[in-house]
């Protein structure tokens, strides 16, 4: 579209792939007062500066008794200029508002904007990584909200619609998510998309948020600074030095405020659309992260939080990127401060299938444990001088669905990376490492606060992990659900052989091979299906005989793989390719309708979006005596 | 052939073109020369007695000497560094290794590749080689293979793109 098309204001013709007639497909504009809400700071600034100048000029003219113009005319001129400036700014906002239009079609969301330099943006709905509804304080007063549509471009919102009425924003979010999920619209009422029901899972009392801020590193810094300042003041007898405390105080108070503002009233919920988080004191935000969009997750415990048993959960989501602003950090926070149970509950949302029969024990060992146990492999004793404190804690564990990386003694950290989300892996070894026979393994994930690295693992073990992880990641990618997480998959599941080499998640939403087809149990490839006792959410009745689309045996696929790396001493949770694995028994708890869209057997349609989801939950393993001998270390 | 401790066993690494060593040597010569000239400025000024006392003689001589030793060390390492670069195409992923002292082995699944770059600098063009870079959704992946013969670079690029498409997975 060119500038010539501008002033007439005729909406552009519907896009070729637009579904005719559907309500949300029409070109629309954001709310008319949104320019004011967006630009109120500019307006206030102009009013302030102009007004101040005028005000001061008034006084100086009075005191000196020689105004350039008669009194009344001066006021009139100043008022006129002010009005003109305000009108000009408002006009500019209005024009930009007028030229900004958006449209949501069955496959895309489009935004046209710009007056002189036009911009037309189009984003595929099934590429959605997250959708936020943000309400800055002023917008809240007007009942408006901003909608942010995030794709994997590391932080910048692909589509920002500021501002819409809150209800409209919610409706639009529901529409986008329903279409992104691949839900077929009701043919009779295509524009009626109900918001997916959600079930609250975690709510954090405000008191705990304050407590967490008080127990954070900021307080320690404050105390240290206070001691230093007081000591200096006393020793050198210069009380004036106390003023240097003021900026520190301002910084710390700002930090407290930001922690409170972003953690206040935090609620996490599960819904068929994914994980939904709401929080905020003045500015409120509701984030929705669809299933399978969390690339990596870390559970951190700062030293002072240990007394209260609190943890923080942060995630890498491709749409959020690695922002250092407090807003960016808040967006990447899945749980600002939570107890162990809440952390496990949050984990269960992200990773409904933990891939181990003892999820609670394994994750607890990852969060607070040390040494081997629950499948963790730690730094070998010979390398303990490279990490005198942390060597007993540095370690990793592999479950059927994720890699767990444990590190840190004071700042305890557990990083969880689902296998299918591994981007690439690298093995590092410096000369000192070589002397001790250890190496580091780094998992690269999308930008974000979480960095996944195994420190100082035994070289052979690290290599086997490296190799096994590459195979597991490939395997998990084949099995992973489609990007459109509710797309009904083809009805008749082809036999296992027929699915071979079909690419998963074809761009363009083509037919997706069934992720879990009830094929003959191919024990050879079903490496990740071990131990369904934890949570098998919507896993098609715990069926693990799946068309794995393994073109050949893992051994042939990966030349030179050490087939059964027995040195990874944790049979309970270690699953490596090529390990013949007995098919697991069907899982015990069987929540239906959880976000994972894997109900594919027979003529069953896709999961129903309108059904209240059950909350996936990790259940502790039965008492250890009942466990099979190989269930743990 | 398991050359280095963290190398996988039973993998055939493709080594880069020997011409790449020449490119690196030329680059190293130019770089060393520039650094040496820069580091010699105080010495020259001192010898010409434009500067009279400030850099002590040992410092004026020591600076270029240190640069010279470091350059020589880097130069000595060059052949081994180039020889340490290797890549291996497997069915599902590409392995890249590099480094003599600080070794790194990287695996990039084909389905994770977002795009592939082939870059040629003036010196590389003169020798008919190129540098191939893989990009995934993780900026930290940093996978590049320098010193590929031009036709091998093209072949690899096409191969990787084709395989990436066949195994495409979103994120």
């Amino acid at each position: 579209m060119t500038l010539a098309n501008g002033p007439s204001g005729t909406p552009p013709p519907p896009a070729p792939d637009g579904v005719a007639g559907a309500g949300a497909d029409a070109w629309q504009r954001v709310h008319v007062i949104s320019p004011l809400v967006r630009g109120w700071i500019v307006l206030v600034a102009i009013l302030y500066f102009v007004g101040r100048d005028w005000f001061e000029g008034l006084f100086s003219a009075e005191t000196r008794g020689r105004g350039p113009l008669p009194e009344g005319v001066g006021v009139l001129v100043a008022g006129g200029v002010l009005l003109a400036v305000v009108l000009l700014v408002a006009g500019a906002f209005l024009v930009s508002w007028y030229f900004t239009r958006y449209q949501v079609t069955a496959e895309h969301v489009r935004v046209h904007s710009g007056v002189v330099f036009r911009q037309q943006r189009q984003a595929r709905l099934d590429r959605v990584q997250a959708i936020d509804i943000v309400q800055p304080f002023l917008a809240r007063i007007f009942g408006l909200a901003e909608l942010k549509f995030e794709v994997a471009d590391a932080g910048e919102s692909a589509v920002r619609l500021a501002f819409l009425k809150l209800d409209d924003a919610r409706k639009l979010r529901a529409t986008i998510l329903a279409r992104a999920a691949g839900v077929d619209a009701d043919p009779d009422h295509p524009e009626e998309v109900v918001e997916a029901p959600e079930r609250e899972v975690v709510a954090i009392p405000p008191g705990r948020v304050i407590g967490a801020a008080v127990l954070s590193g900021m307080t320690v810094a404050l105390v240290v600074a206070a001691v230093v300042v007081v000591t200096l003041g006393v020793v050198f007898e210069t009380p004036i030095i106390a003023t240097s405390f003021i900026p520190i105080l301002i910084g710390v108070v700002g930090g407290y405020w930001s922690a409170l503002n972003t953690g206040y009233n935090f609620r996490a919920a599960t819904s068929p659309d994914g994980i939904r988080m709401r929080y905020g004191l003045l500015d409120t935000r509701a984030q929705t992260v669809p299933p399978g969009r969390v690339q990596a997750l870390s559970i951190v415990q700062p030293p002072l939080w240990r007394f209260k048993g609190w943890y923080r959960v942060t995630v890498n989501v491709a749409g959020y990127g690695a922002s250092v602003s407090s807003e960016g950090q808040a967006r990447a926070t899945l749980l600002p401060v939570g107890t162990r149970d809440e952390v496990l509950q949050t984990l269960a949302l992200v990773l409904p299938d933990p891939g181990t029969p003892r999820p609670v024990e394994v994750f607890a060992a990852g969060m607070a444990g040390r040494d081997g146990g629950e499948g963790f492999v730690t730094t070998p004793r010979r390398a303990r001088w490279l990490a005198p404190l942390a060597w007993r804690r540095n370690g990793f564990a592999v479950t059927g669905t994720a890699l767990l990386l444990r590190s840190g003694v004071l700042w305890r950290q557990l990083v969880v990376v689902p296998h299918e989300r591994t981007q690439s892996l690298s093995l590092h070894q410096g000369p000192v490492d070589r002397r001790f026979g250890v190496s580091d393994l780094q998992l690269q994930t999308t930008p974000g606060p979480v960095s996944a690295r195994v420190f100082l693992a035994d070289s052979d073990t690290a290599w086997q992990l490296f190799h096994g992880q590459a195979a597991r990641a490939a395997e998990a990618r084949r099995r992973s659900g489609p990007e459109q997480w509710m797309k009904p998959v083809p009805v008749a599941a082809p036999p296992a052989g027929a699915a071979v080499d079909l690419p998963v998640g074809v761009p363009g939403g083509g037919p997706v091979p069934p992720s879990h087809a009830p094929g003959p149990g191919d024990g050879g490839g079903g490496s990740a299906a071990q131990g369904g006792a934890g949570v098998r959410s919507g896993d098609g009745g715990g069926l693990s005989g799946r068309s794995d689309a393994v073109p050949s045996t893992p051994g042939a696929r990966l030349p030179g793989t050490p087939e059964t790396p027995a040195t990874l001493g944790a049979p309970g949770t270690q699953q490596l390719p090529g390990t013949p694995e007995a098919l697991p028994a069907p899982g015990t708890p069987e929540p239906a309708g959880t976000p994972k869209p894997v109900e594919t057997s027979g003529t069953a349609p896709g999961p129903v979006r309108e059904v209240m989801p059950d909350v996936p939950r990790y259940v502790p393993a039965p008492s250890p005596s009942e466990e099979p001998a190989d269930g743990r270390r | 052939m398991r050359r280095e401790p963290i190398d996988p066993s039973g993998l055939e690494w493709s080594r880069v073109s020997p011409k790449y060593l020449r490119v690196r040597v030329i680059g190293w010569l130019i770089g060393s020369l520039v650094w040496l000239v820069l580091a010699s400025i105080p010495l020259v000024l001192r010898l010409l007695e434009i500067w009279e006392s400030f850099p002590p003689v040992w410092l004026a001589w020591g600076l270029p000497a240190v640069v010279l030793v470091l350059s020589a060390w880097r130069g000595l390492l060059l052949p081994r560094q180039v020889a340490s670069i290797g890549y291996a195409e497997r069915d599902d992923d590409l392995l890249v290794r590099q480094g003599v002292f600080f070794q790194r082995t990287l695996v990039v699944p084909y389905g994770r590749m977002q795009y592939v770059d082939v870059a040629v600098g003036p010196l590389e063009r003169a020798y008919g080689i190129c540098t191939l870079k893989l990009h995934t959704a993780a900026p930290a992946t940093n996978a590049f293979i320098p010193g590929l013969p031009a036709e091998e670079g093209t072949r690899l690029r096409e191969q990787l793109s084709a395989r990436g498409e066949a195994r495409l997975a979103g994120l």
Side-chain angles (χ1 to χ4, degrees), chain B residues 37-89:
Chain B
V37 167
L38 286 179
S40 306
I41 290 173
L43 179 65
V44 173
L45 289 175
R46 190 71 210 277
L47 289 181
L48 294 179
E49 300 198 341
I50 296 170
W51 284 2
E52 285 171 5
S53 62
F54 160 57
V57 179
W58 63 267
L59 190 62
W61 279 103
L63 202 59
V66 166
V67 169
L68 205 63
V69 167
L70 285 181
S71 293
W73 173 245
R74 282 187 51 222
L76 280 177
L77 275 185
L78 266 184
R80 289 185 60 194
Q81 270 181 356
V82 171
S84 75
I85 301 170
Y87 61 95
E89 295 167 76

Side-chain angles (χ1 to χ4, degrees), chain A residues 1 23 27 52 73 198 217 219 221 244 246 288 362-363 392-393 401 437 454 467 496-497 522 531 589 596:
Chain A
M1 197 189 309
W27 285 92
R52 193 184 63 175
V73 178
E198 58 183 66
T219 311
S244 68
I246 293 171
T288 307
V362 169
F363 286 116
R392 294 177 67 182
R393 192 160 151 76
T401 51
V454 181
H467 205 135
D522 49 347
K596 244 186 162 185

Side-chain angles (χ1 to χ4, degrees), chain A residues 540-554:
Chain A
L543 277 173
S544 73
R546 41 177 72 113
S547 64
D548 271 322
V550 182
S552 57
T553 66

Side-chain angles (χ1 to χ4, degrees), chain A residues 127 129 152 292 295 318 419-431 434 438-439 444-447 459-460 463 466-467 470-471 473-474 477-478 483 501-507 551-552 556-562, chain B residues 2 4-13 80 89-114 135-143 165-171:
Chain A
R127 295 285 175 204
Q129 300 292 324
Q295 307 280 332
H419 291 325
E420 68 267 28
R421 300 272 92 89
T422 310
Q423 293 287 338
S424 64
L425 295 153
S426 57
L427 205 55
H428 300 254
Q429 190 183 53
R434 192 145 48 245
V438 290
S439 352
Q444 283 92 23
T445 75
T446 59
S459 276
D460 284 338
W463 164 243
F466 175 75
H467 205 135
R477 272 198 301 281
R478 273 188 214 99
E483 286 220 317
D501 280 348
L502 271 180
V504 176
V506 187
S552 57
R557 195 169 77 249
L558 306 159
T561 318
Chain B
R2 191 176 160 107
E4 307 286 348
I6 62 168
D7 266 11
S9 51
L11 255 186
E12 261 325 303
W13 291 105
R80 289 185 60 194
E89 295 167 76
R90 300 196 298 193
D91 285 347
D92 277 321
D93 41 34
L94 180 81
L95 283 152
V96 184
R97 78 167 313 286
Q98 65 177 47
V100 179
F101 283 109
F102 292 90
Q103 299 180 7
R104 190 189 74 157
T105 307
L106 177 81
V107 58
V108 186
Y110 296 131
R112 284 299 186 230
M113 270 183 262
Q114 303 288 330
H135 298 263
T136 69
T141 296
N142 192 22
E165 213 149 293
R167 290 173 176 71
L168 194 70
L171 274 177

Side-chain angles (χ1 to χ4, degrees), chain A residues 272-289:
Chain A
D273 287 343
I275 303 166
R276 187 157 290 165
M277 295 168 274
R278 305 166 189 283
Y279 53 85
L281 183 58
L282 292 185
D283 306 351
T284 59
R285 191 181 271 274
Q287 298 175 216
T288 307
V289 180

Side-chain angles (χ1 to χ4, degrees), chain A residues 512-596:
Chain A
V512 178
S515 49
H516 285 203
D522 49 347
S527 63
Q530 188 253 357
V535 169
R536 316 283 301 176
S537 52
D539 203 345
L543 277 173
S544 73
R546 41 177 72 113
S547 64
D548 271 322
V550 182
S552 57
T553 66
R557 195 169 77 249
L558 306 159
T561 318
E563 278 284 296
T564 335
T567 47
L568 293 185
T573 49
Q574 299 286 344
Q575 285 302 319
L576 288 132
T579 315
E581 191 62 44
L583 290 178
T588 18
E590 197 66 59
T594 37
K596 244 186 162 185

